[in-house]
């Protein structure tokens, strides 16, 4: 991988195979402008796109993830060949991201074991600024799971909350009001032993002062309502049941998304998943679920069809595709024993609810690089590993 290698090169195989109803060529061109400033190392992790489903315009957001094993050192400026461009450091938000990553990469820092991953999300609505600004999400390491050090992370609750507040203060520049941190603490303390915040987000690109929490293992809509009541959500829990119960009944499990300021905001999200992240090829309920969104006016028929056609793969042997140079070189070293490919999958659908406003649906499209070991009997039509 050369010093000038960027994420942009890795988007080309994807741009050629995504339905234009979801991401138009012009939208991909705008995403390219963002990807041009990102280290190529981030392309080896999951990345993806957020699509609004009720709008005909294929507006998208673009997200990439850094992990301890791939991407963290690039954000911290510690990777030997792939780092953030120096011009990004003229912006205070990017400097905070880099400063945070330095602490995340330091074995003597409490963040080393406490943070599992970091997502950078870019709002792409037309040509981006010369220096695109990300919103930042980080995944707290679940208790009992191995962190970067290989040692299980077993924090006490007070220490856990303090570490999360440390990350938030680093990324926000210490600008959050004390009352926001108090409300955040209340939200963490209201969780049961099985419930877990899997992402904490700061919408830095939007200037939002609230902190977003994504919570899993609430188990049911009733569990969500009970949690919202416990953290002082200022709206009718009965309305939530009426809105979310029919939606949740169509999928395997749901996660809750809330925005936390000095109080818990009215706007909430319901992330809808199928178990094992099964795709439409093997999970017909995807079609049933998307049909229901079309009937309710939350998704256009064109985008439903495009979503069902999105999952699939493209590999280095595809005709007319310019494959990333580093991946081609790696494939040559494997001597044909492994095939470089990108797999496209539907990750989840989010339903956004705000009392008095129309529901909104968004789809989250994932892309993963994969080394596939060919089987002699496999044909080009055999994509069973995509299930």
């Amino acid at each position: 991988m050369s010093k000038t290698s960027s994420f942009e090169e890795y988007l080309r195989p994807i741009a050629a195979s995504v339905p234009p109803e979801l991401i138009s060529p012009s939208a991909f061109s705008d995403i390219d402008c963002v990807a041009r400033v990102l280290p190529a190392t981030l392309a080896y992790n999951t990345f993806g796109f957020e699509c609004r489903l009720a709008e005909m315009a294929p507006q998208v957001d673009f997200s990439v993830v850094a992990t301890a094993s791939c991407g963290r050192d690039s954000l911290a400026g510690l990777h030997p060949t792939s780092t953030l461009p120096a011009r990004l450091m003229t912006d205070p938000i990017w400097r905070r991201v880099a400063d945070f990553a330095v602490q995340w990469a330091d074995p003597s820092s409490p963040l080393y074991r406490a943070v599992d991953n970091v997502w950078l999300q870019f709002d792409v609505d037309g040509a981006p600024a010369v220096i695109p600004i990300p919103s930042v999400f980080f995944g707290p390491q679940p208790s009992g799971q191995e962190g970067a050090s290989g040692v299980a992370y077993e924090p006490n609750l007070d220490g856990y909350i303090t570490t999360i507040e440390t990350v938030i203060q680093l990324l926000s520049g210490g600008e959050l009001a004390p009352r926001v941190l108090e409300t955040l603490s209340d939200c963490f303390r209201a969780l049961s032993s099985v419930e877990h915040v899997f992402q904490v987000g700061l919408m830095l690109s939007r200037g939002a002062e609230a902190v977003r929490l994504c919570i899993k293992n609430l188990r049911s809509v009733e569990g969500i309502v009970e949690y919202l009541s416990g953290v002082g959500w200022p709206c009718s829990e009965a309305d939530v049941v009426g809105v979310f119960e029919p939606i949740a009944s169509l999928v395997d499990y749901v996660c809750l998304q809330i925005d936390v300021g000095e109080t818990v905001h009215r706007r909430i999200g319901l992330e809808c998943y199928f178990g094992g992240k099964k795709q439409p090829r093997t999970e017909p309920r995807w079609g049933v679920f998307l049909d229901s969104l079309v009937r309710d006016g939350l998704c256009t028929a064109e985008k439903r069809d495009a979503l069902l056609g999105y999952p699939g793969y493209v590999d280095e042997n595809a005709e007319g595709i310019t494959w990333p140079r580093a991946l081609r070189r790696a494939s040559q070293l494997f001597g044909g024993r492994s095939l470089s490919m990108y797999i496209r999958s539907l990750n989840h659908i989010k339903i956004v609810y705000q009392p008095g406003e129309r529901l909104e649906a968004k789809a989250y499209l994932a892309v993963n690089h994969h080394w596939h070991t060919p089987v002699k009997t496999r044909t080009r039509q055999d994509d069973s590993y995509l299930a």
Side-chain angles (χ1 to χ4, degrees):
M1 185 165 51
S2 70
K3 189 71 173 177
T4 57
S5 180
S6 76
F7 200 117
E8 180 188 14
E9 184 180 4
Y10 295 78
L11 277 177
R12 293 170 190 159
I14 308 306
S17 56
V18 174
E21 293 84 0
L22 296 176
I23 308 176
S24 69
S26 62
F28 257 119
S29 179
D30 295 332
I31 293 171
D32 279 346
C33 294
V34 175
R36 208 166 293 153
V37 305
L38 298 177
T41 49
L42 298 177
Y44 295 104
N45 295 318
T46 301
F47 59 93
F49 313 95
E50 174 189 317
C51 301
R52 294 153 180 79
L53 298 184
E55 303 171 6
M56 292 301 294
Q59 180 187 344
V60 295
D61 295 335
F62 174 51
S63 298
V64 300
V65 65
T67 63
S69 61
C70 193
R72 181 183 65 186
D73 287 353
S74 292
L75 296 184
L78 301 174
H79 194 281
T81 61
S82 183
T83 58
L84 294 170
R87 63 188 176 92
L88 294 185
M89 295 303 106
T90 62
D91 184 272
I93 290 177
W94 276 111
R95 289 199 301 272
R96 290 179 215 156
V97 170
D99 291 344
F100 155 75
V102 168
Q103 292 201 36
W104 182 25
D106 181 359
S108 67
S109 167
L111 306 190
Y112 183 71
R113 289 195 299 129
V115 176
D116 184 63
N117 58 72
V118 171
W119 284 88
L120 305 178
Q121 177 182 302
F122 299 88
D123 299 331
V124 183
D125 185 10
V130 175
I131 297 181
I133 304 302
S135 292
V136 182
F137 289 73
F138 66 93
Q141 186 70 49
S143 176
Q145 300 295 312
E146 281 194 2
S149 64
V151 178
Y153 181 56
E154 294 283 6
N156 60 57
L157 182 57
D158 288 339
Y160 183 67
I161 293 172
T162 298
T163 301
I164 288 172
E165 289 177 349
T166 298
V167 178
I168 290 171
Q169 292 290 54
L170 279 170
L171 293 172
S172 68
E175 296 178 356
L176 289 181
R179 179 56 188 154
V180 176
L181 297 178
E182 291 174 11
T183 306
L184 275 170
S185 178
D186 292 341
C187 289
F188 278 95
R189 295 179 189 281
L191 296 169
S192 75
S193 59
V194 299
E195 295 159 357
H196 173 60
V197 173
F198 65 95
Q199 289 288 304
V200 180
L202 291 94
M203 314 308 288
L204 303 177
S205 64
R206 306 174 190 176
E209 296 182 356
V211 177
R212 181 162 292 178
L213 301 182
C214 303
I215 307 167
K216 64 182 180 180
N217 296 341
L218 286 163
R219 290 178 285 188
S220 66
V221 172
E222 288 75 15
I224 288 174
V225 168
E226 182 179 349
Y227 177 78
L228 289 172
S229 176
V231 297
W233 187 63
C235 304
S236 167
E237 291 88 357
D239 289 345
V240 174
V241 173
V243 170
F244 282 173
E245 193 71 69
I247 296 170
S249 67
L250 297 175
V251 298
D252 285 335
Y253 66 96
V254 295
C255 298
L256 175 66
Q257 188 179 94
I258 60 174
D259 291 334
V260 181
E262 294 192 357
T263 61
V264 176
H265 290 195
R266 294 161 56 87
R267 179 185 173 96
I268 59 177
L270 188 75
E271 298 183 359
C272 303
Y273 297 85
F274 288 102
K277 296 186 178 179
K278 291 181 180 178
Q279 299 302 294
R281 183 179 178 277
T282 57
E283 179 49 84
R285 289 180 299 162
W286 265 112
V288 175
F289 181 39
L290 293 173
D291 284 345
S292 75
L293 298 183
V294 172
R295 286 195 303 271
D296 292 340
L298 302 180
C299 178
T300 67
E302 294 80 7
K303 289 199 172 182
R304 172 201 58 200
D305 296 343
L307 286 173
L308 293 174
Y310 172 79
Y313 70 94
V314 59
D315 65 42
E316 60 183 294
N317 294 329
E319 294 183 6
I321 298 293
T322 302
W323 207 253
R325 292 164 292 175
L327 293 178
R328 281 211 179 275
R329 288 196 296 270
S331 184
Q332 290 166 0
L333 290 174
F334 284 133
R337 295 186 300 274
S338 290
L339 189 68
S340 174
M341 62 171 56
Y342 276 104
I343 297 175
R344 306 182 306 274
S345 59
L346 295 180
N347 195 64
H348 67 279
I349 303 290
K350 183 172 75 174
I351 308 298
V352 179
Y353 171 76
Q354 183 167 333
E357 302 288 338
R358 182 177 178 80
L359 289 177
E360 182 181 10
K362 300 179 179 181
Y364 290 77
L365 316 178
V367 180
N368 293 85
H369 182 260
H370 178 70
W371 289 105
H372 177 64
T373 302
V375 179
K376 288 183 179 180
T377 58
R378 178 178 176 264
T379 67
R380 294 288 293 177
Q381 288 73 41
D382 178 15
D383 59 355
S384 59
Y385 55 89
L386 298 175

